[in-house]
Amino acid sequence: MSGDQRDLFDHAPCGYVELDADGRIVAANHAFLAMVDRPHDVVGKESFSDLLSPGSSGDHETHVRAELQAHGSVHEIAVDLVRPDGAEVPALISANLRGDGRKQTTRMIVFEARERRRHHEELLQARRTAEEAEHLTAALAATLQATFVPPSIGDVPGLEIAGAYRPAGDGTVIGGDFYDVFQIRTGEWVVALGDVAGKGVEAAVLTSFVRHSIRALAVRYDSPAEVLRELNTALLAHGSDRFCTVVLLRLLKEDDQWLVSVSSGGHPLPLLVAQEGAVVEIGASGSLVGVLATPQLDDGRGTIGPGDRVVLFTDGVTDARRDDEPFGIERLRSLVATPVPTAAETTDLILDEVLTFQEGSARDDIAIVTVRVLGPDEETTSDVRVAARQMDLEAKNQALLALQAEAPAPDGEPDQQH
């Protein structure tokens, strides 16, 4: 070896080692000896495996040397070198073989990899943290979404009520669809169904606000249009730039019939399915809720009798798409005209058909409520097709705070699409 070659070997910016056929070190430069904190007398005495941690030594003997014999080279193998004081030094080795038989020599370069190992561990920890946060957010989202619909509906004398709620996709993104069924006084009930614009935490906050505001306002105002008008005022004062669509159905028992008042704030009107199968929209259409200072809102009134059904739905039903084809209101009309004996079967039929139309994957949240007037000889059976658990106000606030803490800072305006 010439002087220049010796200088390059000794003072190379990486560790350089040569091993004989038995794996014993026959040459080592200054960088490698400094890396393992060993004197030059390891040359000719120690094998390379002797300078590795137990785990790395076993891998080197069983895998690395076999790979070298099979392919003649290895690249960027991670090992842990061990210093005399027991400290481990993460390193990467690349090597190739020269010669044959007992004259075979392994030439190896060694790079210290402390920073690379640290960066790798930081990436792994960041991934674990992100996965834990994702699981927590998904659990909180599911728990919070369960509060957008009633956990159960008690028996409503003279009526059968069935509801269904299906979040979009895998259910981890919080949507704004909701429904509610509650009693005002003896023989008087309210059904509310709506859709808050957007997704995520902000939509969840507003959805909870809207649902509970409707309950409070419905006690004070008999007119569904007046309830929506006051809700509109409350939303404008709330400070959110989001809006919602809502349809309210007020039911008052009178003998064997029910007086119905319906008002829609920008929401698709409910469908009345008469016992003989005729299907018509009921109610009065009006302005979106939370947009105009003076919205146009009115009540539509009528009566429903034994065997009649009223179907309320969000646009996740009619706007469902297969390629460029929407599910559409006419397909829904034909579907609800199908003779089925119960409200639960009507609700299930709609949900199943909409999901089938989308090949099993809901592209938007879906909420459906069917109200059916029972005959005098039928028993009251109300049903909610949703897995939900009650959540008190304090628990709900904690879930919202946790979700807000997990949510990234918004980049510009929030999404206003349904």
Side-chain angles (χ1 to χ4, degrees):
M1 184 182 294
S2 68
D4 289 341
Q5 290 174 325
R6 171 57 63 181
D7 182 71
L8 176 62
F9 176 83
D10 287 336
H11 302 289
C14 63
Y16 188 94
V17 187
E18 287 189 359
L19 313 177
D20 64 15
D22 297 321
R24 185 180 296 106
I25 298 171
V26 295
N29 70 350
H30 296 319
F32 176 76
L33 295 174
M35 204 179 298
V36 296
D37 193 24
R38 305 276 180 155
H40 193 269
D41 59 9
V42 299
V43 175
K45 296 181 179 179
E46 303 279 359
S47 70
F48 183 73
S49 293
D50 293 336
L51 304 182
L52 297 175
S53 68
S56 293
S57 178
D59 286 342
H60 182 77
E61 291 299 320
T62 58
H63 299 301
V64 177
R65 294 188 68 178
E67 187 76 7
L68 276 169
Q69 292 297 328
H71 301 288
S73 64
V74 295
H75 302 280
E76 294 189 356
I77 304 298
V79 299
D80 287 315
L81 301 167
V82 179
R83 291 180 168 180
D85 62 1
E88 294 187 357
V89 180
L92 292 174
I93 63 172
S94 293
N96 60 23
L97 291 180
R98 179 185 180 185
D100 298 309
R102 297 303 302 170
K103 295 183 178 180
Q104 194 173 68
T105 301
T106 301
R107 297 176 296 187
M108 182 183 298
I109 55 173
V110 186
F111 292 91
E112 189 170 339
R114 290 181 189 272
E115 289 301 310
R116 177 168 176 164
R117 181 75 59 85
R118 182 182 62 81
H119 182 61
H120 179 66
E121 290 174 353
E122 288 176 350
L123 287 176
L124 288 177
Q125 182 58 44
R127 178 180 295 177
R128 284 192 292 267
T129 301
E131 289 174 350
E132 290 170 0
E134 183 178 347
H135 292 322
L136 175 61
T137 300
L140 289 169
T143 303
L144 190 58
Q145 279 182 327
T147 70
F148 295 167
V149 298
S152 64
I153 298 175
D155 288 344
V156 182
L159 296 177
E160 180 199 8
I161 302 177
Y165 173 70
R166 169 66 181 263
D170 62 2
T172 58
V173 178
I174 303 176
D177 284 18
F178 69 93
Y179 70 84
D180 204 359
V181 180
F182 55 94
Q183 187 174 15
I184 299 300
R185 55 184 67 89
T186 302
E188 192 166 2
W189 292 77
V190 170
V191 180
L193 183 140
D195 185 359
V196 171
K199 307 288 184 186
V201 176
E202 291 186 17
V205 172
L206 200 62
T207 301
S208 182
F209 174 80
V210 168
R211 181 169 176 242
H212 289 279
S213 294
I214 289 173
R215 280 193 168 233
L217 292 168
V219 175
R220 297 173 54 192
Y221 301 98
D222 289 337
S223 163
E226 193 60 34
V227 172
L228 294 183
R229 197 170 288 113
E230 292 298 319
L231 176 63
N232 183 79
T233 301
L235 276 180
L236 292 176
H238 186 269
S240 172
D241 57 358
R242 295 174 184 266
F243 60 89
C244 67
T245 69
V246 183
V247 61
L248 285 186
L249 179 74
R250 196 177 191 104
L251 296 153
L252 176 62
K253 184 76 164 61
E254 189 173 86
D255 299 326
D256 63 342
Q257 293 188 322
W258 290 80
L259 303 180
V260 182
S261 300
V262 185
S263 184
S264 168
H267 199 87
L269 290 173
L271 297 178
L272 169 60
V273 187
Q275 185 176 24
E276 67 275 10
V279 180
V280 296
E281 292 181 340
I282 60 169
S285 297
S287 308
L288 294 169
V289 180
V291 176
L292 303 175
T294 309
Q296 179 63 44
L297 295 162
D298 296 296
D299 290 327
R301 296 181 174 84
T303 60
I304 54 176
D308 292 343
R309 289 170 286 154
V310 179
V311 179
L312 301 86
F313 54 94
T314 55
D315 61 6
V317 173
T318 50
D319 289 352
R321 305 191 77 81
R322 180 171 57 200
D323 298 326
D324 293 330
E325 180 187 7
F327 190 82
I329 188 64
E330 292 306 318
R331 185 178 271 107
L332 178 61
R333 281 173 173 268
S334 298
L335 188 62
V336 298
T338 304
V340 290
T342 69
E345 287 175 309
T346 300
T347 297
D348 288 346
L349 177 64
I350 296 169
L351 181 60
D352 290 345
E353 287 296 321
V354 171
L355 290 176
T356 299
F357 186 79
Q358 300 176 94
E359 299 178 344
S361 177
R363 290 159 177 77
D364 194 5
D365 302 326
I366 299 170
I368 307 164
V369 176
T370 302
V371 179
R372 177 174 170 270
V373 181
L374 299 175
D377 57 345
E378 291 185 275
E379 293 183 2
T380 298
T381 55
S382 293
D383 187 26
V384 175
R385 301 286 178 153
V386 62
R389 49 180 176 168
Q390 278 189 303
M391 189 185 228
D392 60 28
L393 184 59
E394 178 61 25
K396 187 181 300 179
N397 288 338
Q398 291 300 321
L400 286 170
L401 289 172
L403 282 168
Q404 288 170 324
E406 295 293 337
D411 297 326
E413 294 299 317
D415 179 12
Q416 292 296 305
Q417 296 181 351
H418 288 279

